[in-house]
Amino acid sequence: MHFALISKVLGLLLVVFSFTMMPPVAVSYFYQDGSEGPFLASFVISLLLGLMLWLPFFRHRAELQTRDGFLVVTLFWSVLGVIGGLPFLISADTPVGFTDAVFESVSGLTTTGASVLSGLDTLPKSILYYRQQLQWFGGMGVIVLAVAILPMLGIGGMQLYKAEIPGPMKDAKLTPRIAETAKALWYLYLFITVACASAYWLAGMTLFDAVTHSFSTVATGGFSTHDQSMGYWDSAAIDWITTVFIIIGGTNFALHFAAIRGLSPLTFVRDPEFRFYIGMVFLYILLVTLGLLAFNVFQGADETLRHAAFQVASFSTGTGYTSTNAAAWPGFVPFLLVFTSFLGASAGSTGGGMKSVRGALVFHHSIRELRRLIYPNGAFALRFGRHTVNDRVLQAVWGFVGVYITIAVVFTLLFTVTGLDLATAVSCVAASLNNLGVGIGGVASGFADISPAAKWMMTLLMLLGRLEIFTLLVLFTPLFWKQ
Amino acid sequence: MHFALISKVLGLLLVVFSFTMMPPVAVSYFYQDGSEGPFLASFVISLLLGLMLWLPFFRHRAELQTRDGFLVVTLFWSVLGVIGGLPFLISADTPVGFTDAVFESVSGLTTTGASVLSGLDTLPKSILYYRQQLQWFGGMGVIVLAVAILPMLGIGGMQLYKAEIPGPMKDAKLTPRIAETAKALWYLYLFITVACASAYWLAGMTLFDAVTHSFSTVATGGFSTHDQSMGYWDSAAIDWITTVFIIIGGTNFALHFAAIRGLSPLTFVRDPEFRFYIGMVFLYILLVTLGLLAFNVFQGADETLRHAAFQVASFSTGTGYTSTNAAAWPGFVPFLLVFTSFLGASAGSTGGGMKSVRGALVFHHSIRELRRLIYPNGAFALRFGRHTVNDRVLQAVWGFVGVYITIAVVFTLLFTVTGLDLATAVSCVAASLNNLGVGIGGVASGFADISPAAKWMMTLLMLLGRLEIFTLLVLFTPLFWKQ
Ligand SMILES: [K+]
Ligand SMILES: [K+]
């Protein structure tokens, strides 16, 4: 392990992160909300901490190795998670302790969007802005993690995408490769954010709301500046814009990149994961629409379809916005919505869950097993799009899915130990592990009232989900620390 | 497909099965309960039906092929399931319709033990005997299925056990092989049943109760002749006897066979699945005991441990007896119990669930994936006891686990569509798919009150669980029916 190098990298990240406290200061001055103090304090703390980690080693020249990657990525998210909580902890407008401050910050950065705050509409603009910005920067980190880093680390079969990492790198070294890829992806991310903000603004949001909600939309984050989330506007236009941009955010950004470079929308149609992802979204919309019609929840077909599409997009990508009180929808519908988040969005997106590509591979694999029962001596290669999936990738996918489900079940039980009923416990797991952020049952109106133990479990699960479990889990093996 | 041959085999099975209606007739005469009519009628119907299927083809000489096996096994359980329901349908003492009659019968034969009947204590002895006998014969079928047939068909990785099928066969033909294996296993099964019945009788049960409960104990079936199940006696001796024999029933019968032949109890210790199975049972007992102590459910440590061990054994093997009102235990404990049934008992046992061997392989595989992240170029063979598990077996295991969990989730949602809450829906899935038979929440006191749709779904899931899903699923692929 190159601890000197890791300290340097982490220090540098903290120095960069400290400057993200400045836009909220600007917002505070602009709206004269008198709330710049906590951000300035956090800026100083973060900057000093970063320099302390960086300065002793700034002359250090070594290449990060793949194995260092696990530690850097985990530290990146957990340290920024704690530091990002400082403004909440310091500000008198958010009367939260350490547990809640870290929960809110990690929830923001991992683009989870679960909140322990309420009365959002009366909070200072700067704090509202800061929460949204946490998600936006978190989304930037997620994309680079998901498109470039996880495939390189080989997490959960993501080496499948190794050849498709955008940017001119292939055999370059780790750091410049990631830097090149990141730059390409962030331009794209910025472009989509601007498009989304413009659409919101044209549909009637204030500029502040348009920008801040575009942040949490493309990040599939789900934070809002209103307690009612998107339901605040009750606007068909805004709901449909959100639905579309959520689905864009839940799509592999490497695919967006390829489609734009090739100027071909057919790129999407040709991608087997995208087909599976969109296919499942349409299937869910159909089922939820039928459910809503059966229970006569809305007056017309228009409104039914609008809310069904919105909530399906929101839950299945792990965004967590609400256009209406979906947790109170009758019968099976809320359960279905929660369960869609386990499969989740596409790999390489800002979305959550196990990812569609893994679902698709598991599905194809199971079909192959059926075939093998009939022809035990047949050779059935597993085709996925243009690729033949090798056994190694498949085993990594299965290992991931197995551990993911095991963690989901074990934590569901642990949440019931803290006193929650089963539906609420499942909802807490989905909200955190799938980076969904929204709950049903006992946590339908937020996570402020669950026990501190449950909050820390959720914080851990948010990180586990975002780091696709193995990045973090591998640190707990003795083998990792052996020279 | 050899339809003539399949008709012949199925006809023969029905003829044999028809004679299982005679012991209840004898019981009816012995106890003078006036309830012999339904059994005599069922005997005649079953015999005639069997002859109709058998006679046209009785001169037919051909060997059953592996592929025919899927169809024969599925027909065996589903046809006997329907026919076995005749006595319930005909008898005036069990006022049930077709749905409930088939539910009860399939529940018996698959050793599930979920019941739609109540007021058991007042039912005629012959009907009570018949239900218990359904489970015992079901258990005989399950053992042969699990030890001999599933490994031959290669279901869910069970080809792992192909070399360990007891009996002098290896390269013999399918039918005589299965017949030899069955004979060896049934002697063993009978021996354990007699031992269990004797223990019950010595512990204070009447001879009738001792025999009938030994039937449902070694079959890990869970039917009882009392509404209170084993709680009827409230006897520590009976509870511990049950716990021990349930665990025996949940152990691989090929392992029992090997241990007895080698006169070595070490055989169990050397078996990696047995170690995993027993290890999990002890872990669950520890957790449940801690839960019961934390909530102060019982007075003393003795009673706490006794009920904890009983209920863990009952749920984790998929037996479904109750020694006390465990569904009303506080907090997380009932959820934990229900979840233990998903992993379930050992392969080659009468128990239910996904089976410990698959859990153990999934666990070892996940550990290997973690190692691979650290040493991407290392070669890590998957060792399981003395064997190296090949990729083909592992893929079959994963395919099985994936489909199993998918079916569990989809049916949980379908049960909520029928109006059940989430905990009850999960409980219905566990009770049926894991062949557990007992429920919590809305089905804690039986399954009489759920909707007919839910009952048919449970009936399907009982069969799916017992046939380890793929046996049945494969029949729905076009490939299977292609010549
Ligand atoms: K989210
Ligand atoms: K059972």
Side-chain angles (χ1 to χ4, degrees):
Chain A
M1 216 55 56
H2 302 92
F3 289 105
L5 189 64
I6 287 169
S7 178
K8 179 185 157 191
V9 170
L10 196 66
L12 199 62
L13 287 171
L14 270 174
V15 170
V16 172
F17 184 70
S18 69
F19 286 93
T20 68
M21 299 293 174
M22 300 321 283
V25 172
V27 170
S28 179
Y29 282 125
F30 182 83
Y31 286 101
Q32 293 289 318
D33 67 5
S35 196
E36 71 284 354
F39 296 105
L40 289 171
S42 304
F43 165 70
V44 173
I45 296 171
S46 177
L47 184 66
L48 288 181
L49 205 64
L51 291 175
M52 274 166 58
L53 288 169
W54 179 61
L55 279 179
F57 308 109
F58 83 103
R59 285 180 178 284
H60 200 87
R61 291 267 174 277
E63 255 316 297
L64 273 178
Q65 301 302 309
T66 308
R67 211 204 282 192
D68 306 319
F70 298 103
L71 193 58
V72 170
V73 167
T74 304
L75 284 173
F76 175 80
W77 248 272
S78 45
V79 171
L80 292 197
V82 173
I83 298 295
L86 287 176
F88 302 120
L89 197 61
I90 297 170
S91 169
D93 294 300
T94 50
V96 295
F98 183 68
T99 299
D100 281 0
V102 173
F103 182 100
E104 193 79 8
S105 165
V106 169
S107 175
L109 281 170
T110 56
T111 79
T112 302
S115 184
V116 288
L117 301 179
S118 55
L120 295 177
D121 299 75
T122 59
L123 280 181
K125 282 274 196 289
S126 54
I127 289 179
L128 291 175
Y129 173 84
Y130 175 69
R131 288 171 78 241
Q132 305 298 110
Q133 185 190 271
L134 273 180
Q135 296 219 307
W136 196 61
F137 285 127
M140 292 177 78
V142 170
I143 291 177
V144 174
L145 179 74
V147 172
I149 300 176
L150 295 179
M152 283 188 208
L153 298 183
I155 299 283
M158 287 304 101
Q159 57 268 52
L160 188 65
Y161 289 116
K162 212 165 173 176
E164 287 161 24
I165 301 170
M169 69 274 297
K170 297 294 178 228
D171 46 10
K173 286 172 179 170
L174 199 64
T175 323
R177 270 168 83 176
I178 292 175
E180 279 297 316
T181 305
K183 222 166 67 184
L185 292 171
W186 288 340
Y187 279 122
L188 183 61
Y189 187 67
L190 182 65
F191 172 76
I192 297 174
T193 307
V194 171
C196 179
S198 312
Y200 279 147
W201 186 62
L202 289 172
M205 282 192 188
T206 65
L207 190 62
F208 180 81
D209 277 341
V211 170
T212 54
H213 282 84
S214 73
F215 283 179
S216 51
T217 300
V218 292
T220 64
F223 270 162
S224 173
T225 60
H226 302 285
D227 281 331
Q228 282 189 278
S229 186
M230 291 297 188
Y232 174 82
W233 289 277
D234 195 10
S235 146
I238 288 176
D239 283 356
W240 281 111
I241 290 167
T242 311
T243 304
V244 169
F245 276 96
I246 280 173
I247 290 174
I248 291 173
T251 302
N252 193 333
F253 273 70
L255 198 62
H256 285 311
F257 191 86
I260 288 171
R261 199 172 43 187
L263 290 172
S264 166
L266 279 179
T267 310
F268 295 106
V269 184
R270 279 193 217 104
D271 185 68
E273 184 191 25
F274 185 79
R275 289 200 303 268
F276 189 81
Y277 161 60
I278 283 295
M280 292 306 289
V281 166
F282 279 111
L283 176 66
Y284 298 145
I285 292 176
L286 177 70
L287 295 175
V288 170
T289 303
L290 291 176
L292 295 178
L293 289 174
F295 289 107
N296 256 313
V297 179
F298 294 104
Q299 298 299 320
D302 271 24
E303 216 183 346
T304 304
L305 186 63
R306 164 187 148 201
H307 289 296
F310 183 100
Q311 290 304 156
V312 163
S314 175
F315 275 82
S316 70
T317 59
T319 302
Y321 281 139
T322 48
S323 62
T324 177
N325 190 2
W329 278 353
F332 70 96
V333 185
F335 300 132
L336 173 61
L337 288 173
V338 166
F339 276 108
T340 65
S341 72
F342 281 95
L343 180 57
S346 304
S349 75
T350 58
M354 285 187 276
K355 306 293 180 298
S356 297
V357 61
R358 297 199 181 94
L361 286 175
V362 163
F363 178 76
H364 285 298
H365 174 83
S366 301
I367 298 285
R368 177 170 68 163
E369 285 305 314
L370 273 175
R371 290 214 175 119
R372 276 183 172 166
L373 289 178
I374 302 165
Y375 294 113
N377 301 316
F380 299 100
L382 197 69
R383 305 277 311 164
F384 194 63
R386 288 167 303 134
H387 303 287
T388 300
V389 180
N390 71 44
D391 281 354
R392 181 66 182 275
V393 167
L394 206 59
Q395 287 175 13
V397 167
W398 276 116
F400 178 86
V401 171
V403 171
Y404 200 96
I405 291 171
T406 305
I407 286 180
V409 170
V410 169
F411 274 86
T412 297
L413 284 169
L414 287 175
F415 280 114
T416 66
V417 172
T418 72
L420 302 176
D421 66 87
L422 191 64
T424 305
V426 170
S427 179
C428 281
V429 168
S432 51
L433 182 62
N434 303 340
N435 298 117
L436 167 59
V438 72
I440 62 169
V443 287
S445 55
F447 298 86
D449 299 334
I450 61 174
S451 68
K455 281 174 186 166
W456 282 111
M457 287 200 288
M458 281 189 69
T459 305
L460 174 66
L461 288 179
M462 290 177 207
L463 289 169
L464 273 174
R466 189 40 81 201
L467 301 176
E468 307 230 318
I469 293 172
F470 280 87
T471 316
L472 209 155
L473 215 55
V474 81
L475 304 183
F476 292 94
T477 60
L479 196 62
F480 180 82
W481 300 100
K482 224 165 73 179
Q483 212 47 50
Chain B
M1 215 56 56
H2 301 94
F3 290 106
L5 189 64
I6 287 169
S7 178
K8 179 185 157 190
V9 170
L10 195 65
L12 200 61
L13 286 170
L14 270 175
V15 170
V16 172
F17 184 72
S18 70
F19 286 95
T20 69
M21 298 292 173
M22 300 321 283
V25 172
V27 169
S28 180
Y29 282 125
F30 184 83
Y31 286 101
Q32 294 288 318
D33 68 5
S35 196
E36 71 284 354
F39 296 105
L40 288 169
S42 304
F43 165 71
V44 173
I45 296 172
S46 178
L47 185 66
L48 288 182
L49 205 65
L51 291 175
M52 274 166 59
L53 289 168
W54 179 61
L55 279 179
F57 307 109
F58 83 103
R59 283 177 181 284
H60 200 86
R61 291 267 175 277
E63 261 309 301
L64 273 179
Q65 301 302 310
T66 308
R67 210 204 283 191
D68 306 320
F70 298 102
L71 193 57
V72 169
V73 168
T74 303
L75 284 173
F76 175 81
W77 249 273
S78 46
V79 171
L80 292 197
V82 173
I83 298 296
L86 286 176
F88 302 121
L89 197 61
I90 298 169
S91 170
D93 295 300
T94 51
V96 295
F98 183 68
T99 299
D100 282 359
V102 173
F103 182 100
E104 193 80 8
S105 164
V106 169
S107 175
L109 281 170
T110 57
T111 81
T112 302
S115 184
V116 289
L117 302 179
S118 55
L120 294 177
D121 300 76
T122 60
L123 280 183
K125 282 275 196 290
S126 55
I127 288 179
L128 290 175
Y129 173 85
Y130 175 69
R131 289 171 78 240
Q132 305 298 110
Q133 185 191 270
L134 273 180
Q135 296 219 305
W136 196 62
F137 284 128
M140 291 176 78
V142 170
I143 291 178
V144 174
L145 179 73
V147 172
I149 300 177
L150 295 179
M152 283 185 208
L153 298 182
I155 299 283
M158 289 302 101
Q159 56 267 53
L160 187 66
Y161 289 116
K162 212 166 175 177
E164 288 161 25
I165 301 171
M169 70 274 298
K170 301 290 179 228
D171 46 10
K173 286 173 181 169
L174 198 65
T175 322
R177 269 167 84 176
I178 291 174
E180 280 298 315
T181 305
K183 222 165 69 182
L185 292 171
W186 288 340
Y187 279 123
L188 183 61
Y189 187 68
L190 183 65
F191 172 76
I192 297 174
T193 308
V194 171
C196 179
S198 310
Y200 279 146
W201 186 62
L202 288 171
M205 282 192 188
T206 64
L207 190 62
F208 179 81
D209 277 341
V211 170
T212 54
H213 283 84
S214 73
F215 283 180
S216 52
T217 300
V218 294
T220 65
F223 271 162
S224 173
T225 59
H226 302 285
D227 282 330
Q228 282 188 276
S229 185
M230 291 297 188
Y232 173 82
W233 289 277
D234 194 10
S235 147
I238 288 176
D239 282 355
W240 281 112
I241 292 167
T242 311
T243 303
V244 168
F245 277 95
I246 280 173
I247 290 174
I248 291 173
T251 303
N252 192 333
F253 274 70
L255 198 62
H256 286 312
F257 192 87
I260 288 172
R261 199 171 43 186
L263 290 172
S264 166
L266 280 178
T267 309
F268 294 104
V269 184
R270 279 194 217 102
D271 186 66
E273 184 191 24
F274 186 78
R275 289 200 303 269
F276 189 82
Y277 161 59
I278 283 295
M280 293 305 289
V281 166
F282 279 111
L283 175 66
Y284 298 145
I285 291 177
L286 178 71
L287 295 175
V288 170
T289 303
L290 290 176
L292 294 178
L293 290 175
F295 289 106
N296 255 313
V297 179
F298 294 105
Q299 299 298 321
D302 271 24
E303 216 183 345
T304 304
L305 186 62
R306 165 187 146 202
H307 289 296
F310 183 100
Q311 291 304 154
V312 163
S314 175
F315 275 83
S316 70
T317 59
T319 302
Y321 281 140
T322 48
S323 63
T324 178
N325 190 1
W329 279 353
F332 69 96
V333 186
F335 300 132
L336 173 62
L337 287 173
V338 166
F339 276 108
T340 67
S341 72
F342 280 95
L343 180 57
S346 304
S349 76
T350 57
M354 286 187 275
K355 306 292 180 298
S356 296
V357 61
R358 297 200 180 94
L361 287 176
V362 162
F363 177 76
H364 285 298
H365 174 82
S366 302
I367 297 287
R368 178 170 67 162
E369 285 306 315
L370 272 175
R371 291 214 175 118
R372 275 183 172 165
L373 288 178
I374 302 166
Y375 294 113
N377 301 317
F380 299 100
L382 198 69
R383 305 277 310 164
F384 194 64
R386 287 167 305 133
H387 302 286
T388 300
V389 180
N390 71 44
D391 281 354
R392 180 66 183 276
V393 167
L394 206 59
Q395 286 174 13
V397 168
W398 277 116
F400 178 85
V401 171
V403 171
Y404 200 95
I405 292 172
T406 305
I407 287 180
V409 170
V410 169
F411 274 85
T412 297
L413 284 168
L414 287 175
F415 280 115
T416 67
V417 172
T418 71
L420 302 176
D421 66 86
L422 191 63
T424 305
V426 170
S427 180
C428 281
V429 168
S432 51
L433 182 61
N434 302 340
N435 299 117
L436 167 60
V438 73
I440 63 168
V443 287
S445 54
F447 299 85
D449 299 332
I450 61 174
S451 68
K455 281 173 186 166
W456 282 110
M457 287 200 287
M458 281 190 69
T459 305
L460 174 66
L461 287 179
M462 291 178 207
L463 289 170
L464 273 173
R466 189 39 84 202
L467 302 177
E468 307 230 318
I469 294 172
F470 280 87
T471 315
L472 208 155
L473 215 55
V474 81
L475 304 183
F476 292 94
T477 60
L479 195 62
F480 180 82
W481 299 100
K482 224 165 70 180
Q483 211 48 50

